[in-house]
Amino acid sequence: MQNEEDEEAELEVLAEFSHPVPWQKIEAQGLDLDYALLFSKEEADALFKQLEEEVMYSTGEEAKVQVFGKLHNIPRRQATYGDAGLRYTYSGRTHLACTWTPTLEYIRDAVTNATGHTFNFVLINRYRDGEDHIGEHRDDEKELDPVCPIASVSLGAARDFVLRHRDARGKRGARRLEPVKLQLAHGSLLLMNPPTNTFWYHSLPVRKKVRLPRINLTFRRILLISRGEEPANVWSL
DNA sequence: ACAAGTACACAAAA
DNA sequence: ATTTTGTGTACTTG
Ligand SMILES: [Mn+2]
């Protein structure tokens, strides 16, 4: 009886992961996205609840940023998890990854099953409500594997996500390229494939009417730098 | 016509 | 050169 139950549970997992997710392809000049609903509402609800209990976010100085000479609280909460000992530098700060929690490993493996890509790191951003946001930026850190997509899992409140081509920014944008806007649903997965992050900035704008939190997990592959290696960009030193 | 929400250029210093 | 967020102003929507 025990065996039958185990087999049944395994088959359920296999069935879920072996069915190809119905992907939606979003393309523009230099932009390549894939969007899909990875988790059912019920499963996404459970994952959200578990993450709310498990994930520990940065506090104190780690949760502040200096811009234009003024210190601000970062308008969201951040956490970094990944393989033991991994470090990731962004926004001028180096973060040591916490080791994977069971829920994060489960989601990571679900993403791997759906995409065929493996990941050794996840940056978690929690937007408490529609006032929390992130400004336009690219994820173009040098330590990111350039051939691996960034896999963005959304849980909780649906939020708008906006991408703008780098040449369409500024008062006299060099090109007329319309922003690409999409809504990231509860349980969804968005793949940002190369070379998207070279040419397109993305942001999560304020949405005053949103009153519930959203957790975003961006799975990444970080290159392992062997000891004694020279920095890649000697010129900037 | 009003109010609320949204879009976005721009402000300095590292 | 690029990057961070908050703000003023202009615009849109109901
Ligand atoms: Mn990003």
Side-chain angles (χ1 to χ4, degrees):
Chain A
M1 179 164 68
Q2 190 60 53
N3 281 346
E4 279 177 17
E5 279 180 19
D6 287 351
E7 280 176 26
E8 218 170 282
E10 270 185 40
L11 283 174
E12 230 173 89
V13 170
L14 274 176
E16 174 156 7
F17 290 163
S18 61
H19 273 298
V21 179
W23 292 103
Q24 179 188 341
K25 174 66 84 177
I26 301 156
E27 283 178 300
Q29 192 164 22
L31 178 139
D32 179 0
L33 308 174
D34 292 290
Y35 180 81
L37 291 176
L38 182 61
F39 299 115
S40 68
K41 169 160 175 23
E42 291 70 28
E43 191 165 17
D45 286 346
L47 292 170
F48 180 89
K49 191 177 173 187
Q50 286 173 243
L51 291 178
E52 287 290 65
E53 293 168 7
E54 286 180 15
V55 175
M56 299 294 292
Y57 294 91
S58 298
T59 57
E61 292 309 304
E62 292 255 311
K64 297 183 190 304
V65 64
Q66 188 175 344
V67 183
F68 284 70
K70 290 178 190 168
L71 205 57
H72 300 280
N73 292 318
I74 293 173
R76 62 191 168 277
R77 308 247 272 158
Q78 300 185 315
T80 51
Y81 285 78
D83 292 355
L86 256 194
R87 289 169 190 283
Y88 183 47
T89 301
Y90 64 93
S91 302
R93 277 205 184 83
T94 299
H95 298 255
L96 179 61
C98 301
T99 54
W100 298 100
T101 72
T103 306
L104 289 174
E105 285 183 326
Y106 177 85
I107 299 171
R108 178 199 64 195
D109 293 344
V111 172
T112 293
N113 270 290
T115 65
H117 286 94
T118 59
F119 303 90
N120 58 10
F121 182 87
V122 62
L123 171 64
I124 306 177
N125 280 295
R126 184 180 187 277
Y127 303 88
R128 291 159 285 200
D129 57 32
E131 304 279 358
D132 266 359
H133 61 280
I134 189 167
E136 274 190 337
H137 69 283
R138 295 177 294 171
D139 294 316
D140 60 346
E141 306 294 340
K142 288 181 181 62
E143 60 259 57
L144 289 175
D145 186 331
V147 307
C148 184
I150 292 177
S152 170
V153 172
S154 295
L155 296 168
R159 291 288 294 265
D160 290 340
F161 185 73
V162 181
L163 300 110
R164 277 208 303 166
H165 194 282
R166 65 180 187 188
D167 295 343
R169 301 162 80 241
K171 186 133 193 167
R172 260 189 67 85
R175 290 204 204 158
R176 307 176 183 178
L177 280 165
E178 288 303 307
V180 173
K181 307 182 181 187
L182 47 154
Q183 194 177 55
L184 302 179
H186 185 40
S188 69
L189 169 60
L190 176 72
L191 295 184
M192 303 179 62
N193 302 301
T196 303
N197 262 336
T198 303
F199 299 106
W200 291 75
Y201 286 70
H202 56 271
S203 67
L204 194 87
V206 168
R207 286 293 179 265
K208 307 266 191 195
K209 280 162 282 195
V210 174
R211 301 184 169 275
L212 296 175
R214 165 176 182 264
I215 298 175
N216 181 55
L217 307 101
T218 49
F219 292 90
R220 299 141 190 266
R221 183 150 62 234
I222 296 183
L223 300 171
L224 307 171
I225 313 294
S226 46
R227 215 149 70 91
E229 220 173 273
E230 291 290 334
N233 188 352
V234 186
W235 304 114
S236 67
L237 293 181

